[in-house]
Amino acid sequence: MKTKPFLTHDDVKRILAAAEAEAQANAWAVSIAIVDDGGHLLALSRLDGAAPLTAQIAPAKAHSSALGRRESKAFEDIINQGRVAFLSAPAVQGMLEGGVPILVDGQCIGAVGVSGVKSSDDAAIARAGIAAL
């Protein structure tokens, strides 16, 4: 039987704190979601001033990234390149840049999704959180 790494509660707190610090350093009002490898929500933080909708979009981006084992931008690119049929993929939402998988030894153990500013900045916040590991 194989073993695999997983996110601990302390890992989640560390990722969230680093992502929040990156957002606050840039005065970005965002929501930040962290999910496990199955896309299940482990943490959600909606910073002051973030639109309510961001609290729905951030977990969706994280969920898609975790299940797809890649950045959610990859799905956005597929659709933008004309494969609109991909929109019918089951259980995949948040196909916008800003979801970043958490990879350890080549295995996806979860993802961070961010929503509230320009998509590339959302992704930068997510990466800053992951870098705290």
Side-chain angles (χ1 to χ4, degrees):
M1 183 175 287
K2 295 183 179 187
T3 59
K4 68 176 189 174
F6 63 92
L7 289 170
T8 66
H9 183 67
D10 286 341
D11 294 334
V12 171
K13 290 192 308 186
R14 190 171 30 246
I15 293 167
L16 188 58
E20 286 177 344
E22 178 71 13
Q24 291 170 337
N26 291 286
W28 290 332
V30 297
S31 286
I32 302 160
I34 303 170
V35 301
D36 66 12
D37 61 335
H40 303 99
L41 189 62
L42 299 174
L44 175 66
S45 176
R46 187 173 131 209
L47 300 182
D48 293 343
L53 183 60
T54 64
Q56 298 293 318
I57 296 172
K61 289 179 177 183
H63 182 265
S64 294
S65 182
L67 293 183
R69 311 296 196 240
R70 65 194 70 195
E71 291 201 24
S72 57
K73 183 181 186 324
F75 302 124
E76 181 178 7
D77 291 344
I78 288 169
I79 295 161
N80 287 342
Q81 291 167 4
R83 183 124 194 260
V84 294
F86 192 77
L87 290 168
S88 67
V92 184
Q93 300 174 3
M95 294 181 278
L96 304 163
E97 184 175 8
V100 180
I102 303 167
L103 302 173
V104 175
D105 298 328
Q107 292 188 58
C108 180
I109 63 167
V112 179
V114 179
S115 177
V117 289
K118 187 169 64 171
S119 291
S120 59
D121 293 333
D122 288 342
I125 295 166
R127 286 189 203 97
I130 294 167
L133 287 180

